[in-house]
Amino acid sequence: MAEPRTLILILGDQLSLSLSSLKDADPARDRVLMCEVAEEATYVRHHKRKIAFIFSAMRHFAEELRQKGFDVRYTRLDDEGNAGSFGGEVERAIAALRPQRLRVTEAGEWRVMEMIRSWEALFGLPVEVLPDDRFLCSHAQFQSWAEGRASLRMEYFYREMRRRTGLLMRGDEPEGRRWNFDADNRQKAERDLFRPSHAQFAPDAITLKVLELVERRFSNHIGSLEGFGFAVTRADAQTVADGFIRDFLPEFGIKQDAMLSADPFLNHSLVSFYINIGFLDPLDLCRAAERAYHEGLAPLNSVEGFIRQIIGWREFVRGVYWMTMPDYAQSNFFDAARPLPDFYWTGDTQMNCLSITIKDTIRHAYAHHIQRLMVTGNFAMLAGIDPRQVHEWYLEVYADAYEWVELPNVLGMSQFADGGLLASKPYAASGAYIDRMSDYCGDCRYDVTAKTGPDACPFNRLYWDFIGRNIDRLGRVPRLQPVVRNWSRMSADRQALLRRDAQDFLDTL
Ligand SMILES: Cc1cc2nc3c(=O)[nH]c(=O)nc-3n(C[C@H](O)[C@H](O)[C@H](O)COP(=O)(O)OP(=O)(O)OC[C@H]3O[C@@H](n4cnc5c(N)ncnc54)[C@H](O)[C@@H]3O)c2cc1C
Ligand code: SF4
């Protein structure tokens, strides 16, 4: 092949044929570059399943591009000469191919965008950075929505997105005359032996090679590869999406907040891996869910709830991330500084809810939203864990974790470390919430009804200490005023007892 006109760099989470950098590509004249680099796999020690999923998905996507006629320069992790970083691999490709320009769709992470911005000067050729139009709200649109607002509330952003996409709209009115049907959701789940199972895929030859590579190179990372069943092609990811709409969407709403020891997935969609990597298109998924509603296959509370997560929360956290980085990563509203307890890496704790959630996480590189928010996240916030360490843990252990989505969810939603920019109040809860939404407490060594003492549920012991410890800061959060008042009405002796009891527990961590 002659010297290519354009070298198109495709990153590991850009596996979409509709990617902006591929739109005007000419397979006869342009060249695609994809690379597995050690720097990205190890800047935090990602879960083995996450690395295997991304590398295998990349290799399958490269094959798909080749079938479409593209000439793909693909560097495998252990190829001789692999420079180990994006910059190093781009430099090698430029030296070898001498393209006229480099083209790339903007990276999802601020860190990688900073790298890309330096390349034009560094490599002496034009670098075109195109917007990532797989997202429904551009940076400029989010900025203009956010401008002039004293606080950013997802619910209002979401309504705007409903109007803009037309999803579940009847003219100017929301379908069912309400924007949000959460009041109909939030039910507890029961064991159900007949619940359909989520799709799993046996590894093919490409995946088997990747699994062997990951085991060899990342043996000290968390997790195991046993039973690896991720979809690693766009077609299989579509099978997951179709299975969700058919089997799980109808009860998605009512089961959304439930937690069950024997079923880590319940009615969740398990599509975050595939949307985030680019295999599934968020708008297509929402339209499929909307169609199921109009065809009478799924009720409005479920469909609205699902669509809200995607065009609401997903787009909203991305907007907040890009509007506030890099300062956002340093947020620490409560000045929390305690190190992350060791049991976050093993699940070895007598707190049954944490043990189950962490062991699910280690096994599947997945836990659902309420486990992430109200168990591991809630505990870290109540115990005053350093939010930076909490953030790194989430980034490492979940196969769907990319900083643009993980960081605001962790720092903003689960730790309230941004002081309320993203969430209107801290998601702090005692054991009663976990007991209401799960079957965890019945098998726990602790007593969820006891408030203090060595046998009391640690969430109960920590809850009032968290309020008391942060009373000045929480006094500024309007939605927490009733709780702040309850604390203030307690006698000094009672307050001191609760604080001392929490400290006794914290000393054991
Ligand atoms: C502390 C914490 C950390 C999180 N880290 C991540 C992360 O690293 N990557 C990630 O994709 N999601 C993250 N989330 C959001 C959410 O928990 C996951 O998207 C969800 O659990 C993925 O599983 P699912 O596909 O079965 O989701 P479902 O429950 O079936 O939801 C459907 C889809 O909605 C979207 N969604 C739902 N909630 C959110 C949200 N809060 N933010 C963004 N998208 C959302 C996802 O694309 C998800 O696939 C985090 C949430 C919390 C509280
Ligand atoms: S009693 Fe407390 S620690 Fe035990 S499972 Fe319930 S909420 Fe978790």
Side-chain angles (χ1 to χ4, degrees), residues 351-354 431 434-435 440-441 444 446-448 457-459:
M351 290 177 273
N352 199 35
C353 52
L354 279 157
I434 295 174
D435 192 30
Y440 296 157
C441 299
C444 186
Y446 294 104
D447 178 356
V448 73
C457 167
F459 285 83

Side-chain angles (χ1 to χ4, degrees), residues 51 63 78 136 217 223 307 319 332 427 430 463 471 494 499-500:
I51 302 177
E63 283 311 309
D78 49 2
L136 303 168
R217 290 287 298 272
I307 288 178
N332 191 353
Y427 284 92
S430 66
Y463 180 80
I471 195 74
R494 176 81 185 146
R499 298 290 309 270
R500 215 170 31 248

Side-chain angles (χ1 to χ4, degrees), residues 252 268-272 276 309 366 369 372 400-401 406 409:
F252 174 82
H268 291 275
S269 63
L270 313 194
V271 295
S272 54
N276 292 352
Q309 306 312 319
Y366 176 86
H369 186 69
R372 297 188 206 196
D400 58 15
E406 172 274 332
N409 267 301

